[in-house]
């Protein structure tokens, strides 16, 4: 199984559910000749929540793979990373997309897509405030925001 490191940075501006968010994804792998290769993706959205933007970024990451991989996913600690690490998304699926209070889970369509796309991959979440790419990724996001 090919090993891939994925780094994410997201920025969110505005009020809950009515703001805009951007994400930047950097995928890093070693090719068959032992040479490190990277692939980048950037997108921005309006009228989304921070969690929606992060989930969209994760589904876009998974859509980019043509075969099942061992993925080391570097992201900031927050609701999305902790939900995946704790397996709550799988519990919600078993509970027909209801939380402990019996309420509908927010962004259930995105969670369903994440589960479907992640099937067969081995995903390890690495939460960190700074990775070797964080500073450069944030600078690039700032540049894109000016456009």
């Amino acid at each position: 199984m090919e090993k891939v490191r994925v780094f994410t940075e997201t920025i969110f501006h505005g009020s809950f559910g009515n703001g805009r968010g951007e994400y930047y994804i950097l995928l890093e792998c070693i090719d068959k000749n032992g040479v490190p290769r990277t692939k980048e993706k950037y997108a921005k959205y309006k009228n989304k929540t921070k969690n929606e933007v992060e989930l969209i970024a994760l589904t876009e990451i998974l859509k980019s793979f043509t075969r099942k991989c061992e993925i080391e996913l570097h992201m900031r600690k927050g609701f999305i990373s902790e939900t995946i690490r704790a397996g709550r998304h799988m519990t919600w699926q078993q509970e027909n997309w209801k939380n402990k209070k019996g309420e509908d889970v927010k962004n259930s369509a995105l969670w369903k897509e994440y589960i479907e796309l992640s099937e067969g991959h081995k995903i390890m979440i690495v939460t960190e405030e700074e990775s070797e790419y964080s500073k450069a990724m944030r600078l690039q996001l700032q540049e894109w925001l000016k456009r």
Side-chain angles (χ1 to χ4, degrees), residues 78-92 100 111 125:
F79 178 77
I80 301 299
S81 63
E82 294 308 303
T83 295
I84 294 169
R85 182 176 283 153
R88 284 192 299 267
H89 59 303
M90 302 307 289
T91 302
W92 294 333
K100 286 183 180 181
W111 282 111
I125 303 289

Side-chain angles (χ1 to χ4, degrees), residues 100-141:
K100 286 183 180 181
K101 297 177 183 176
E103 300 166 340
D104 290 338
V105 171
K106 292 179 181 168
N107 305 313
S108 61
L110 287 169
W111 282 111
K112 289 174 190 176
E113 186 176 17
Y114 171 80
I115 290 171
E116 181 182 316
L117 292 168
S118 65
E119 195 170 296
H121 292 289
K122 181 179 177 187
I123 301 174
M124 181 179 76
I125 303 289
V126 178
T127 53
E128 57 192 0
E129 288 306 310
E130 293 292 323
S131 72
E132 61 253 47
Y133 293 110
S134 295
K135 186 175 181 180
M137 291 173 78
R138 282 195 301 274
L139 288 172
Q140 186 61 57
L141 277 170

Side-chain angles (χ1 to χ4, degrees), residues 39-57:
K39 179 180 179 182
E40 301 170 278
K41 182 170 177 94
Y42 164 78
K44 59 182 162 181
Y45 296 90
K46 292 182 179 178
N47 301 317
K48 301 285 183 197
T49 66
K50 181 180 187 304
N51 291 338
E52 281 178 296
V53 172
E54 287 187 7
L55 278 169
I56 291 167

